[in-house]
Amino acid sequence: MSVTVKVAFGGQQATMFGIHRPFANMMASTSCRLANFLANDRLMFRARNDRPASARAYADEESRTMKARLRGPAAGQPAARVALALGLAVAGAAALHAAELKEETLAAWQRYVAATERRMAREIGDGARFLVLDFHDDAEPMRRETLAGEPLIWRAETRDDAGESIDVPKGSIHHWLGAILIPNADVDHVVDGLQYAIPPHELQNDVLESRVLWRAGDRLGTFLKLSRKAIVTMHYNTEHVAEYVRPGGGRAWSRSES
């Protein structure tokens, strides 16, 4: 499996001045936080002159208390604010360095993917069982919940051929499985619906764009533009290759690479 993600950090200055884009993004975020802090300090904590004396005295006391909590022993000194900004920048740079993908992490990920695909191949060829929940230790109660209309999501772990956990140095793998019942629909109806682009008015909120790039029988390439927001808004342009297989007997399965 491979992942292709293009991230728009959005600053021509970052390229112009030779600053690494993730670091430039971190600097911009830090600057916004500092500007927000200074604006709160100058505007929100300032007592309005048109308030009554008692209310103004109360606001002044609240302002001093809040400033003491935010600034600590160096309250009122510009040097403390600069140190705060530099501290955030250094912490962000350290976190960025720690997030770099290591070769041993990628190798472990590839071992995990290979083991997962071998397991799925065995499950598809099982004959008696087919759905992913059929291979769970609590298959029967999970099937009853699904048929009752309850969507199920659970965390999974693929082990190696010896049954041991696959160690991932300097990283972690999040592996989730799920099951849901789509009432009043047959397999062909569901699979056909998955092979065509979703109309814009039916997209979920974090999907900005969806379209089919190419099609070859039951194989197709698709494009999704996703949006994620955490302090700053990030846009991800992703491409996917999916294959749909219909072995008959009211069954179908698909495999997708991103």
PDB file of all heavy atoms in Angstrom, residues 5 33-34 51 77 100 107 140 143 148 212-213 221 228 237 246:
ATOM      1  N   VAL A   5       0.016  12.113  -0.301  1.00  0.00           N
ATOM      2  CA  VAL A   5      -0.702  13.229   0.292  1.00  0.00           C
ATOM      3  C   VAL A   5      -0.002  14.521  -0.078  1.00  0.00           C
ATOM      4  O   VAL A   5       1.207  14.652   0.099  1.00  0.00           O
ATOM      5  CB  VAL A   5      -0.764  13.104   1.835  1.00  0.00           C
ATOM      6  CG1 VAL A   5      -1.480  14.303   2.430  1.00  0.00           C
ATOM      7  CG2 VAL A   5      -1.466  11.819   2.232  1.00  0.00           C
ATOM      8  N   ARG A  33      -0.834  32.600  17.581  1.00  0.00           N
ATOM      9  CA  ARG A  33      -1.097  32.430  19.006  1.00  0.00           C
ATOM     10  C   ARG A  33      -0.592  33.632  19.803  1.00  0.00           C
ATOM     11  O   ARG A  33      -1.255  34.108  20.720  1.00  0.00           O
ATOM     12  CB  ARG A  33      -0.417  31.157  19.504  1.00  0.00           C
ATOM     13  CG  ARG A  33      -1.012  29.878  18.947  1.00  0.00           C
ATOM     14  CD  ARG A  33      -0.293  28.670  19.513  1.00  0.00           C
ATOM     15  NE  ARG A  33      -0.788  27.435  18.923  1.00  0.00           N
ATOM     16  CZ  ARG A  33      -0.322  26.232  19.229  1.00  0.00           C
ATOM     17  NH1 ARG A  33       0.640  26.113  20.116  1.00  0.00           N
ATOM     18  NH2 ARG A  33      -0.817  25.160  18.660  1.00  0.00           N
ATOM     19  N   LEU A  34       0.625  34.092  19.457  1.00  0.00           N
ATOM     20  CA  LEU A  34       1.197  35.233  20.163  1.00  0.00           C
ATOM     21  C   LEU A  34       0.358  36.482  19.936  1.00  0.00           C
ATOM     22  O   LEU A  34       0.089  37.247  20.869  1.00  0.00           O
ATOM     23  CB  LEU A  34       2.637  35.470  19.698  1.00  0.00           C
ATOM     24  CG  LEU A  34       3.377  36.646  20.366  1.00  0.00           C
ATOM     25  CD1 LEU A  34       3.443  36.430  21.864  1.00  0.00           C
ATOM     26  CD2 LEU A  34       4.768  36.797  19.791  1.00  0.00           C
ATOM     27  N   ARG A  51     -17.077  52.367  32.717  1.00  0.00           N
ATOM     28  CA  ARG A  51     -17.694  51.548  33.733  1.00  0.00           C
ATOM     29  C   ARG A  51     -17.736  52.312  35.061  1.00  0.00           C
ATOM     30  O   ARG A  51     -16.907  53.183  35.312  1.00  0.00           O
ATOM     31  CB  ARG A  51     -16.898  50.248  33.949  1.00  0.00           C
ATOM     32  CG  ARG A  51     -16.996  49.267  32.792  1.00  0.00           C
ATOM     33  CD  ARG A  51     -16.168  48.053  33.118  1.00  0.00           C
ATOM     34  NE  ARG A  51     -16.207  47.070  32.039  1.00  0.00           N
ATOM     35  CZ  ARG A  51     -15.445  45.990  32.021  1.00  0.00           C
ATOM     36  NH1 ARG A  51     -14.601  45.759  32.988  1.00  0.00           N
ATOM     37  NH2 ARG A  51     -15.532  45.143  31.025  1.00  0.00           N
ATOM     38  N   GLN A  77       6.613  42.047  31.661  1.00  0.00           N
ATOM     39  CA  GLN A  77       7.889  42.271  31.010  1.00  0.00           C
ATOM     40  C   GLN A  77       7.819  41.770  29.573  1.00  0.00           C
ATOM     41  O   GLN A  77       7.523  40.599  29.341  1.00  0.00           O
ATOM     42  CB  GLN A  77       9.010  41.548  31.758  1.00  0.00           C
ATOM     43  CG  GLN A  77       9.217  42.080  33.180  1.00  0.00           C
ATOM     44  CD  GLN A  77      10.372  41.406  33.859  1.00  0.00           C
ATOM     45  OE1 GLN A  77      11.143  40.714  33.205  1.00  0.00           O
ATOM     46  NE2 GLN A  77      10.491  41.603  35.150  1.00  0.00           N
ATOM     47  N   GLU A 100       9.389  12.973  11.825  1.00  0.00           N
ATOM     48  CA  GLU A 100       9.940  12.508  10.561  1.00  0.00           C
ATOM     49  C   GLU A 100       9.883  10.985  10.485  1.00  0.00           C
ATOM     50  O   GLU A 100      10.181  10.278  11.440  1.00  0.00           O
ATOM     51  CB  GLU A 100      11.392  12.989  10.423  1.00  0.00           C
ATOM     52  CG  GLU A 100      11.516  14.499  10.258  1.00  0.00           C
ATOM     53  CD  GLU A 100      12.962  14.934  10.150  1.00  0.00           C
ATOM     54  OE1 GLU A 100      13.852  14.059  10.269  1.00  0.00           O
ATOM     55  OE2 GLU A 100      13.207  16.122   9.947  1.00  0.00           O
ATOM     56  N   ALA A 107       9.536   0.230   7.327  1.00  0.00           N
ATOM     57  CA  ALA A 107       9.700  -1.213   7.121  1.00  0.00           C
ATOM     58  C   ALA A 107       8.688  -1.999   7.950  1.00  0.00           C
ATOM     59  O   ALA A 107       8.105  -2.987   7.477  1.00  0.00           O
ATOM     60  CB  ALA A 107      11.128  -1.631   7.471  1.00  0.00           C
ATOM     61  N   GLU A 140     -21.170 -14.018  16.922  1.00  0.00           N
ATOM     62  CA  GLU A 140     -22.625 -14.146  16.990  1.00  0.00           C
ATOM     63  C   GLU A 140     -23.291 -12.917  17.606  1.00  0.00           C
ATOM     64  O   GLU A 140     -24.223 -12.365  17.016  1.00  0.00           O
ATOM     65  CB  GLU A 140     -23.000 -15.417  17.755  1.00  0.00           C
ATOM     66  CG  GLU A 140     -22.772 -16.685  16.953  1.00  0.00           C
ATOM     67  CD  GLU A 140     -23.480 -16.646  15.606  1.00  0.00           C
ATOM     68  OE1 GLU A 140     -24.651 -16.203  15.559  1.00  0.00           O
ATOM     69  OE2 GLU A 140     -22.868 -17.039  14.600  1.00  0.00           O
ATOM     70  N   ARG A 143     -23.020 -10.059  15.152  1.00  0.00           N
ATOM     71  CA  ARG A 143     -23.928 -10.196  14.012  1.00  0.00           C
ATOM     72  C   ARG A 143     -25.341  -9.779  14.410  1.00  0.00           C
ATOM     73  O   ARG A 143     -26.039  -9.105  13.640  1.00  0.00           O
ATOM     74  CB  ARG A 143     -23.904 -11.639  13.495  1.00  0.00           C
ATOM     75  CG  ARG A 143     -24.875 -11.896  12.353  1.00  0.00           C
ATOM     76  CD  ARG A 143     -24.789 -13.344  11.899  1.00  0.00           C
ATOM     77  NE  ARG A 143     -23.624 -13.546  11.054  1.00  0.00           N
ATOM     78  CZ  ARG A 143     -23.609 -13.361   9.738  1.00  0.00           C
ATOM     79  NH1 ARG A 143     -24.702 -12.956   9.115  1.00  0.00           N
ATOM     80  NH2 ARG A 143     -22.522 -13.585   9.045  1.00  0.00           N
ATOM     81  N   ALA A 148     -29.610  -5.710  13.932  1.00  0.00           N
ATOM     82  CA  ALA A 148     -30.556  -4.838  14.630  1.00  0.00           C
ATOM     83  C   ALA A 148     -30.360  -3.378  14.245  1.00  0.00           C
ATOM     84  O   ALA A 148     -31.080  -2.507  14.733  1.00  0.00           O
ATOM     85  CB  ALA A 148     -30.399  -4.999  16.141  1.00  0.00           C
ATOM     86  N   VAL A 212     -14.202  10.708 -10.251  1.00  0.00           N
ATOM     87  CA  VAL A 212     -13.559   9.520 -10.820  1.00  0.00           C
ATOM     88  C   VAL A 212     -12.551   9.972 -11.863  1.00  0.00           C
ATOM     89  O   VAL A 212     -12.897  10.719 -12.786  1.00  0.00           O
ATOM     90  CB  VAL A 212     -14.611   8.581 -11.442  1.00  0.00           C
ATOM     91  CG1 VAL A 212     -13.923   7.405 -12.137  1.00  0.00           C
ATOM     92  CG2 VAL A 212     -15.574   8.080 -10.379  1.00  0.00           C
ATOM     93  N   LEU A 213     -11.299   9.520 -11.736  1.00  0.00           N
ATOM     94  CA  LEU A 213     -10.238   9.918 -12.664  1.00  0.00           C
ATOM     95  C   LEU A 213     -10.180   9.004 -13.887  1.00  0.00           C
ATOM     96  O   LEU A 213      -9.941   9.459 -14.998  1.00  0.00           O
ATOM     97  CB  LEU A 213      -8.894   9.908 -11.935  1.00  0.00           C
ATOM     98  CG  LEU A 213      -8.767  10.846 -10.725  1.00  0.00           C
ATOM     99  CD1 LEU A 213      -7.406  10.666 -10.068  1.00  0.00           C
ATOM    100  CD2 LEU A 213      -8.987  12.290 -11.138  1.00  0.00           C
ATOM    101  N   GLY A 221      -9.813   4.727 -10.647  1.00  0.00           N
ATOM    102  CA  GLY A 221      -9.028   5.669  -9.863  1.00  0.00           C
ATOM    103  C   GLY A 221      -9.905   6.851  -9.485  1.00  0.00           C
ATOM    104  O   GLY A 221     -10.675   7.346 -10.308  1.00  0.00           O
ATOM    105  N   ARG A 228      -9.106  19.195   6.922  1.00  0.00           N
ATOM    106  CA  ARG A 228      -8.951  18.935   8.350  1.00  0.00           C
ATOM    107  C   ARG A 228      -8.605  20.243   9.035  1.00  0.00           C
ATOM    108  O   ARG A 228      -7.780  21.011   8.537  1.00  0.00           O
ATOM    109  CB  ARG A 228      -7.851  17.897   8.610  1.00  0.00           C
ATOM    110  CG  ARG A 228      -8.136  16.518   8.019  1.00  0.00           C
ATOM    111  CD  ARG A 228      -9.272  15.832   8.757  1.00  0.00           C
ATOM    112  NE  ARG A 228      -9.472  14.468   8.272  1.00  0.00           N
ATOM    113  CZ  ARG A 228     -10.285  14.145   7.288  1.00  0.00           C
ATOM    114  NH1 ARG A 228     -10.967  15.087   6.663  1.00  0.00           N
ATOM    115  NH2 ARG A 228     -10.430  12.895   6.915  1.00  0.00           N
ATOM    116  N   ASN A 237      -5.040  16.612  -0.945  1.00  0.00           N
ATOM    117  CA  ASN A 237      -5.433  16.116  -2.259  1.00  0.00           C
ATOM    118  C   ASN A 237      -4.996  14.656  -2.345  1.00  0.00           C
ATOM    119  O   ASN A 237      -3.804  14.365  -2.388  1.00  0.00           O
ATOM    120  CB  ASN A 237      -4.783  16.943  -3.365  1.00  0.00           C
ATOM    121  CG  ASN A 237      -5.245  18.388  -3.327  1.00  0.00           C
ATOM    122  OD1 ASN A 237      -6.399  18.664  -3.045  1.00  0.00           O
ATOM    123  ND2 ASN A 237      -4.340  19.315  -3.587  1.00  0.00           N
ATOM    124  N   ARG A 246     -16.745  -9.412  -7.547  1.00  0.00           N
ATOM    125  CA  ARG A 246     -18.056 -10.005  -7.263  1.00  0.00           C
ATOM    126  C   ARG A 246     -17.990 -11.508  -7.562  1.00  0.00           C
ATOM    127  O   ARG A 246     -18.220 -11.932  -8.694  1.00  0.00           O
ATOM    128  CB  ARG A 246     -19.137  -9.342  -8.109  1.00  0.00           C
ATOM    129  CG  ARG A 246     -19.074  -7.815  -8.085  1.00  0.00           C
ATOM    130  CD  ARG A 246     -20.243  -7.195  -8.802  1.00  0.00           C
ATOM    131  NE  ARG A 246     -19.952  -5.829  -9.234  1.00  0.00           N
ATOM    132  CZ  ARG A 246     -20.856  -4.910  -9.510  1.00  0.00           C
ATOM    133  NH1 ARG A 246     -22.133  -5.199  -9.399  1.00  0.00           N
ATOM    134  NH2 ARG A 246     -20.511  -3.709  -9.919  1.00  0.00           N
TER     135      ARG A 246
END
